[in-house]
Amino acid sequence: MAEPSPILQVRNLQTSFKTDRGMVTAVDGVSFDLFSGETLGVVGESGCGKTVTNKSIIRLLPEHVTRYGDDSRILFKDRNLLTLTESQMRDVRGNEIGMIFQEPMTALNPVFTIGWQIDEALKYHTKLNRPERRDKAIEMLRLVEMPNPGKRIDEYPHQLSGGMRQRVVIAIALCCNPEVLIADEPTTALDVTIQSQILRLMDKLKEETGTAIILITHDLGVVAQACDRVIVMYAGQIVEIAPVRDLFHNPRHPYTRALLDSMPKPGITGHQERLPAIEGTVPSLFNLPSGCRFHDRCQRAKSDCKETLPALVSITENEHAADGDQTVQHGVRCFYPLEGVKS
């Protein structure tokens, strides 16, 4: 039986910005596949390139200062999104690829009603008339389990709770039935009860619509609950990519291991030692270290780690090394990957 084809293929993505200090590369050589009906998590500390990677996919970065690598490709339905005109990209955004932005209070316009903001996307991407668009907006609010959607549609963002606003943002992202949904920290600033509800809702919508989801987060608990596969990013590069179970039970990169070790363990009571922390900070993109970008924070680093940048290679038998033209089931960017480690 043939393997399913990915709906989205990112190949050797390099995203750089023109600054007063010269060009700086925020995403460097990122490659991955996304399949219909799966949730792909993207994790890492702040400043590792998670959001820039995904904003590059729908080209929401300021065009006048953003440059993409000559070999970079973002293939969606056999089209390289990096070669489309801005007019063509507007037809893709919100219609075929939706995005849930961070902080729903700032993502929503405070001077327009909820209904107006859902209607805006429907008016641009569909041929529905005004009454039909209002009915569709109410239907979308009902789909995301908004209480009393017929009333809420005429309310303003400030009249809604944080969880309700997040539901509105999801409704806007899904109203045109996109095939890919990018969710950027969709549960940030929500309490754990609402967070669980939002994650359950996204999973339900994925099952009902077959939408593929890219979930950006630095909460590994969210990853364990919601994702099928995981990308771990550090300093603009993928350092590990694996199915979620493999990543949690057998992490191979020291950075992944350190992230998992820093998580509180449920069920542990009494006086315990402090949780281990990763010493240091993510390096400045203007002053990246030579060799492996994690070596100055890694306790396992050796001399070659400081001199040569490791490639992202497969640790699974019968798979080829990862490069700009393919991705792997479980890959790691490390000369000395961990072996036999169980979390």
Side-chain angles (χ1 to χ4, degrees):
M1 182 176 176
E3 294 185 1
S5 300
I7 188 172
L8 180 71
Q9 296 173 287
V10 177
R11 294 292 181 267
N12 199 28
L13 177 62
Q14 183 180 71
T15 305
S16 303
F17 298 104
K18 183 179 180 181
T19 73
D20 293 339
R21 298 171 60 183
M23 295 298 294
V24 58
T25 300
V27 175
D28 191 4
V30 167
S31 297
F32 64 86
D33 292 332
L34 179 69
F35 296 88
S36 294
E38 82 161 336
T39 300
L40 176 67
V42 184
V43 302
E45 295 169 276
S46 296
C48 284
K50 306 185 299 296
T51 296
V52 172
T53 296
N54 287 281
K55 283 190 173 182
S56 297
I57 292 174
I58 52 176
R59 297 209 354 229
L60 274 181
L61 299 168
E63 295 283 347
H64 64 289
V65 295
T66 305
R67 301 291 182 270
Y68 300 104
D70 293 337
D71 297 329
S72 299
R73 289 174 293 153
I74 300 173
L75 303 176
F76 177 69
K77 291 184 174 180
D78 299 323
R79 294 174 294 172
N80 184 358
L81 300 184
L82 296 180
T83 65
L84 300 186
T85 65
E86 178 58 25
S87 176
Q88 291 171 322
M89 277 304 304
R90 282 197 297 268
D91 291 334
V92 172
R93 295 188 201 109
N95 186 26
E96 298 176 280
I97 302 178
M99 186 159 188
I100 301 172
F101 294 94
Q102 252 178 308
E103 286 298 328
M105 195 62 227
T106 56
L108 295 172
N109 193 321
V111 302
F112 292 107
T113 65
I114 298 308
W116 188 95
Q117 296 184 61
I118 301 176
D119 180 85
E120 184 180 29
L122 293 170
K123 182 165 58 176
Y124 187 88
H125 292 295
T126 73
K127 296 180 179 180
L128 301 176
N129 59 37
R130 176 177 284 186
E132 290 172 335
R133 294 198 303 268
R134 181 177 175 87
D135 289 342
K136 177 68 173 179
I138 294 174
E139 177 188 338
M140 291 307 304
L141 291 177
R142 186 176 293 112
L143 182 66
V144 298
E145 301 177 359
M146 174 71 77
N148 199 357
K151 175 187 176 185
R152 300 298 182 188
I153 193 172
D154 295 316
E155 294 184 340
Y156 292 85
H158 73 270
Q159 296 176 273
L160 307 180
S161 67
M164 288 181 177
R165 290 195 295 266
Q166 192 62 280
R167 282 172 163 79
V168 172
V169 173
I170 295 173
I172 294 172
L174 290 174
C175 65
C176 295
N177 301 316
E179 296 175 68
V180 174
L181 177 64
I182 300 173
D184 190 356
E185 302 276 6
T187 59
T188 298
L190 300 178
D191 63 59
V192 291
T193 302
I194 302 301
Q195 172 179 286
S196 178
Q197 292 175 1
I198 294 297
L199 292 175
R200 178 181 56 80
L201 172 63
M202 290 177 60
D203 189 60
K204 173 187 172 185
L205 295 174
K206 180 185 72 172
E207 294 297 325
E208 292 179 353
T209 64
T211 300
I213 299 175
I214 300 176
L215 178 60
I216 307 169
T217 182
H218 50 254
D219 187 335
L220 288 168
V222 169
V223 169
Q225 179 179 346
C227 296
D228 301 303
R229 290 189 299 130
V230 191
I231 288 171
V232 181
M233 293 193 67
Y234 185 79
Q237 295 181 325
I238 294 176
V239 296
E240 187 162 4
I241 179 170
V244 66
R245 183 176 178 83
D246 288 357
L247 190 91
F248 276 82
H249 289 274
N250 200 8
R252 296 303 185 95
H253 198 281
Y255 179 60
T256 307
R257 174 78 266 175
L259 289 176
L260 291 170
D261 286 343
S262 66
M263 291 177 62
K265 302 298 188 291
I268 297 179
T269 59
H271 297 287
Q272 303 290 332
E273 296 182 359
R274 294 182 61 183
L275 287 171
I278 307 174
E279 298 295 333
T281 59
V282 178
S284 167
L285 296 176
F286 288 102
N287 188 28
L288 290 171
S290 59
C292 174
R293 296 181 180 182
F294 186 63
H295 82 257
D296 55 349
R297 304 174 70 188
C298 180
Q299 298 179 352
R300 295 166 52 89
K302 299 181 181 181
S303 58
D304 49 349
C305 301
K306 303 176 183 179
E307 298 170 359
T308 307
L309 178 66
L312 181 68
V313 297
S314 171
I315 59 171
T316 304
E317 292 184 4
N318 301 321
E319 280 190 354
H320 300 291
D323 58 27
D325 293 321
Q326 59 189 4
T327 58
V328 295
Q329 179 74 359
H330 192 157
V332 62
R333 188 184 297 275
C334 185
F335 290 123
Y336 306 101
L338 304 172
E339 294 185 7
V341 178
K342 301 293 181 182
S343 59

